[in-house]
Coordinates of all heavy atoms in Angstrom, one line a residue:
T118 N 24.6 130.7 143.3 CA 23.7 131.2 142.3 C 24.4 132.2 141.4 O 25.4 132.8 141.8 CB 22.5 131.9 142.9 OG1 22.9 133.0 143.8 CG2 21.6 130.9 143.8
K119 N 23.9 132.4 140.2 CA 24.4 133.4 139.3 C 24.1 134.8 139.7 O 22.9 135.1 140.0 CB 23.9 133.2 137.9 CG 24.4 131.9 137.1 CD 23.9 131.9 135.7 CE 24.3 130.7 135.0 NZ 23.8 130.7 133.6
Q120 N 25.1 135.7 139.8 CA 24.9 137.1 140.0 C 24.7 137.9 138.7 O 24.0 138.8 138.6 CB 26.0 137.7 140.8 CG 26.0 137.2 142.3 CD 27.1 137.9 143.1 OE1 28.0 138.6 142.5 NE2 27.1 137.7 144.4
A121 N 25.5 137.4 137.7 CA 25.5 138.1 136.4 C 26.2 137.2 135.4 O 26.9 136.3 135.8 CB 26.2 139.5 136.5
S122 N 26.0 137.5 134.1 CA 26.7 136.8 133.1 C 27.0 137.7 131.9 O 26.2 138.7 131.7 CB 25.9 135.5 132.7 OG 24.7 135.9 132.1
E123 N 27.9 137.3 131.1 CA 28.3 138.1 129.8 C 28.6 137.0 128.8 O 29.5 136.2 129.0 CB 29.4 139.0 130.1 CG 29.9 139.7 128.9 CD 29.0 140.8 128.3 OE1 28.4 141.6 129.1 OE2 28.7 140.8 127.1
C124 N 28.0 137.1 127.6 CA 28.3 136.1 126.6 C 28.3 136.8 125.2 O 28.3 136.1 124.2 CB 27.3 135.0 126.6 SG 25.6 135.5 126.4
N125 N 28.5 138.1 125.2 CA 28.5 138.9 123.9 C 29.8 139.6 123.7 O 29.8 140.7 123.2 CB 27.3 139.9 123.9 CG 26.0 139.2 123.9 OD1 25.7 138.3 123.2 ND2 25.1 139.7 124.8
F126 N 30.9 138.9 124.0 CA 32.2 139.6 123.9 C 32.5 139.9 122.4 O 33.1 141.0 122.1 CB 33.3 138.7 124.4 CG 33.3 138.6 125.9 CD1 33.1 137.3 126.5 CD2 33.5 139.6 126.7 CE1 33.1 137.2 127.9 CE2 33.5 139.5 128.1 CZ 33.3 138.3 128.7
W127 N 32.1 139.1 121.5 CA 32.4 139.3 120.1 C 31.3 140.0 119.3 O 31.4 140.1 118.1 CB 32.7 137.9 119.4 CG 31.6 137.0 119.5 CD1 30.5 136.8 118.7 CD2 31.3 136.1 120.6 NE1 29.7 135.9 119.2 CE2 30.1 135.4 120.3 CE3 32.0 135.7 121.8 CZ2 29.6 134.4 121.2 CZ3 31.5 134.8 122.6 CH2 30.3 134.1 122.3
D128 N 30.2 140.4 120.0 CA 29.1 141.0 119.3 C 29.3 142.5 119.2 O 29.4 143.2 120.2 CB 27.8 140.7 120.1 CG 26.6 141.2 119.4 OD1 26.7 141.8 118.3 OD2 25.5 140.8 119.8
S129 N 29.5 143.0 118.0 CA 29.8 144.4 117.8 C 28.6 145.3 118.1 O 28.8 146.5 118.4 CB 30.2 144.7 116.3 OG 29.2 144.3 115.4
S130 N 27.4 144.8 118.1 CA 26.2 145.6 118.5 C 26.2 146.0 120.0 O 25.7 147.0 120.4 CB 25.0 144.9 118.1 OG 24.8 143.7 118.9
V131 N 26.9 145.1 120.8 CA 27.0 145.3 122.2 C 28.1 146.3 122.5 O 28.0 147.1 123.5 CB 27.2 144.0 123.0 CG1 27.4 144.3 124.5 CG2 26.1 143.0 122.7
H132 N 29.1 146.4 121.7 CA 30.2 147.3 121.9 C 30.3 148.2 120.6 O 31.0 147.9 119.7 CB 31.5 146.5 122.0 CG 31.5 145.4 123.0 ND1 31.3 145.6 124.3 CD2 31.5 144.0 122.8 CE1 31.2 144.4 125.0 NE2 31.3 143.5 124.0
P133 N 29.5 149.3 120.6 CA 29.4 150.1 119.4 C 30.7 150.8 119.0 O 30.8 151.2 117.8 CB 28.3 151.2 119.8 CG 28.4 151.2 121.3 CD 28.7 149.8 121.7
D134 N 31.7 151.0 119.9 CA 32.9 151.7 119.5 C 33.8 150.8 118.7 O 34.8 151.3 118.1 CB 33.7 152.0 120.8 CG 33.0 153.1 121.6 OD1 32.1 153.7 121.0 OD2 33.3 153.3 122.8
V135 N 33.5 149.5 118.5 CA 34.3 148.5 117.8 C 33.8 148.4 116.4 O 32.6 148.2 116.2 CB 34.3 147.2 118.6 CG1 35.2 146.2 117.9 CG2 34.8 147.4 120.0
Q136 N 34.7 148.3 115.5 CA 34.3 148.1 114.1 C 33.8 146.6 113.9 O 34.5 145.7 114.3 CB 35.6 148.3 113.2 CG 36.0 149.8 113.1 CD 35.0 150.6 112.4 OE1 34.2 150.2 111.5 NE2 34.9 151.9 112.9
P137 N 32.7 146.4 113.3 CA 32.2 145.1 113.1 C 33.0 144.3 112.1 O 33.5 144.8 111.2 CB 30.7 145.3 112.6 CG 30.8 146.6 112.0 CD 31.8 147.4 112.7
E138 N 33.1 143.0 112.4 CA 33.8 142.1 111.5 C 32.8 141.1 110.9 O 31.9 140.6 111.5 CB 34.8 141.3 112.3 CG 35.9 142.2 112.9 CD 36.9 141.3 113.6 OE1 36.9 140.1 113.5 OE2 37.7 141.9 114.4
I139 N 32.9 140.9 109.5 CA 32.0 140.1 108.8 C 32.6 138.6 108.8 O 33.7 138.4 108.2 CB 31.8 140.6 107.4 CG1 31.2 141.9 107.3 CG2 30.9 139.6 106.6 CD1 31.2 142.6 106.0
K140 N 31.9 137.7 109.5 CA 32.4 136.3 109.6 C 31.2 135.4 109.5 O 30.1 135.7 110.0 CB 33.1 136.1 110.9 CG 34.5 136.8 111.0 CD 35.2 136.5 112.3 CE 36.5 137.2 112.3 NZ 37.2 137.0 113.6
L141 N 31.4 134.3 108.7 CA 30.3 133.3 108.6 C 30.2 132.5 109.9 O 29.1 132.2 110.2 CB 30.6 132.4 107.4 CG 30.7 133.2 106.0 CD1 31.0 132.2 104.9 CD2 29.3 133.8 105.7
S142 N 31.3 132.2 110.5 CA 31.2 131.4 111.7 C 32.4 131.7 112.6 O 33.4 132.3 112.1 CB 31.2 129.9 111.4 OG 32.4 129.5 110.7
Q143 N 32.3 131.4 113.8 CA 33.4 131.7 114.8 C 33.9 130.4 115.4 O 33.1 129.5 115.8 CB 32.9 132.6 115.9 CG 32.8 134.0 115.4 CD 31.8 134.8 116.3 OE1 30.8 134.3 116.8 NE2 32.1 136.1 116.4
S144 N 35.2 130.2 115.3 CA 35.8 129.0 115.9 C 36.0 129.2 117.4 O 35.9 130.3 117.9 CB 37.2 128.8 115.2 OG 38.1 129.9 115.7
P145 N 36.1 128.0 118.1 CA 36.3 128.1 119.5 C 37.5 128.9 120.0 O 37.5 129.6 121.0 CB 36.5 126.6 119.9 CG 35.9 125.9 118.8 CD 36.0 126.6 117.6
N146 N 38.5 129.0 119.1 CA 39.7 129.9 119.5 C 39.3 131.3 119.5 O 40.0 132.1 120.2 CB 40.8 129.6 118.4 CG 41.5 128.3 118.7 OD1 41.5 127.8 119.8 ND2 42.1 127.8 117.6
E147 N 38.3 131.8 118.8 CA 37.9 133.2 118.7 C 37.0 133.6 119.9 O 36.9 134.7 120.2 CB 37.2 133.5 117.4 CG 38.2 133.4 116.2 CD 37.4 133.6 114.9 OE1 36.3 133.2 114.8 OE2 38.0 134.1 113.9
T148 N 36.3 132.6 120.4 CA 35.3 132.9 121.5 C 35.8 132.4 122.9 O 35.1 132.7 123.9 CB 34.0 132.3 121.1 OG1 34.1 130.8 121.0 CG2 33.5 132.8 119.8
S149 N 36.8 131.5 122.9 CA 37.1 130.9 124.2 C 37.7 131.8 125.2 O 38.6 132.6 124.9 CB 38.1 129.7 123.9 OG 38.5 129.1 125.1
V150 N 37.3 131.7 126.4 CA 37.9 132.5 127.5 C 39.1 131.7 128.0 O 39.0 130.7 128.7 CB 36.9 132.7 128.7 CG1 37.5 133.5 129.8 CG2 35.6 133.5 128.2
K151 N 40.3 132.2 127.7 CA 41.5 131.5 128.0 C 42.0 131.8 129.4 O 42.6 130.9 130.0 CB 42.6 131.9 127.0 CG 42.4 131.6 125.5 CD 42.5 130.1 125.3 CE 42.4 129.8 123.8 NZ 42.5 128.4 123.5
H152 N 41.8 133.0 129.9 CA 42.3 133.3 131.2 C 41.5 134.5 131.8 O 41.0 135.3 131.1 CB 43.8 133.7 131.1 CG 44.5 133.8 132.5 ND1 45.1 134.9 132.9 CD2 44.6 132.8 133.5 CE1 45.6 134.7 134.1 NE2 45.3 133.4 134.5
L153 N 41.4 134.5 133.1 CA 40.7 135.6 133.9 C 41.6 136.1 135.0 O 42.4 135.3 135.6 CB 39.4 135.1 134.5 CG 38.3 134.6 133.5 CD1 37.2 133.9 134.4 CD2 37.8 135.7 132.8
T154 N 41.6 137.4 135.2 CA 42.2 137.9 136.4 C 41.4 139.1 136.9 O 40.5 139.6 136.2 CB 43.7 138.4 136.1 OG1 44.3 138.8 137.3 CG2 43.6 139.6 135.2
S155 N 41.6 139.5 138.2 CA 40.7 140.5 138.7 C 41.4 141.4 139.7 O 42.4 141.0 140.3 CB 39.5 139.9 139.4 OG 38.7 140.8 140.1
D156 N 40.9 142.6 139.9 CA 41.5 143.5 141.0 C 40.4 143.8 142.0 O 40.4 144.8 142.7 CB 42.0 144.8 140.3 CG 40.9 145.6 139.6 OD1 39.8 145.1 139.5 OD2 41.3 146.7 139.1
E157 N 39.3 143.0 142.0 CA 38.2 143.1 142.9 C 37.2 144.2 142.5 O 36.1 144.2 143.0 CB 38.6 143.3 144.4 CG 39.4 142.2 144.9 CD 39.7 142.3 146.4 OE1 39.2 143.3 147.0 OE2 40.4 141.5 147.0
E158 N 37.5 145.0 141.5 CA 36.6 146.0 141.0 C 36.2 145.5 139.6 O 35.0 145.7 139.2 CB 37.3 147.3 140.9 CG 36.4 148.4 140.3 CD 37.1 149.8 140.1 OE1 38.3 149.9 140.7 OE2 36.6 150.7 139.5
C159 N 37.1 145.0 138.8 CA 36.9 144.6 137.4 C 37.4 143.2 137.2 O 38.4 142.7 137.9 CB 37.5 145.5 136.4 SG 36.8 147.2 136.4
V160 N 36.8 142.4 136.3 CA 37.4 141.2 135.8 C 38.0 141.4 134.4 O 37.4 142.0 133.6 CB 36.3 140.1 135.7 CG1 36.9 138.8 135.1 CG2 35.8 139.8 137.1
F161 N 39.2 141.0 134.3 CA 40.0 141.2 133.0 C 40.0 139.8 132.3 O 40.6 138.8 132.8 CB 41.3 141.7 133.2 CG 41.3 143.0 133.9 CD1 41.3 143.1 135.3 CD2 41.4 144.2 133.2 CE1 41.3 144.3 136.0 CE2 41.3 145.4 133.9 CZ 41.3 145.5 135.3
A162 N 39.3 139.7 131.1 CA 39.1 138.4 130.5 C 39.9 138.4 129.2 O 39.8 139.3 128.3 CB 37.7 138.1 130.2
A163 N 40.7 137.3 129.0 CA 41.3 137.0 127.7 C 40.4 136.2 126.9 O 40.2 135.0 127.2 CB 42.7 136.3 127.9
V164 N 39.8 136.7 125.8 CA 38.8 136.0 125.0 C 39.3 136.0 123.6 O 39.3 137.1 122.9 CB 37.4 136.7 125.1 CG1 36.4 135.9 124.3 CG2 37.0 136.9 126.5
G165 N 39.7 134.9 123.1 CA 40.2 134.8 121.7 C 41.4 135.6 121.6 O 42.4 135.5 122.4

């Protein structure tokens, strides 16, 4: 079963410290999760 999920990596409203980018659309290369690694405390995700 799902314990949690995250799908707002590119959403500047979720990450207020990040400057928003004006884009009409996002290509799969910008949103795709390419690789994951973990230290059992955190998951480090390569997204775009």
Side-chain angles (χ1 to χ4, degrees):
T118 57
K119 286 185 183 180
Q120 289 185 351
S122 65
E123 174 71 46
C124 58
N125 295 313
F126 289 117
W127 58 89
D128 189 352
S129 58
S130 63
V131 179
H132 312 293
D134 293 342
V135 180
Q136 293 293 328
E138 296 179 12
I139 301 173
K140 290 183 180 178
L141 297 177
S142 62
Q143 283 159 329
S144 67
N146 284 335
E147 293 174 328
T148 62
S149 176
V150 180
K151 297 287 187 182
H152 191 239
L153 297 170
T154 188
S155 175
D156 61 358
E157 297 186 2
E158 179 184 350
C159 294
V160 174
F161 302 87
V164 185

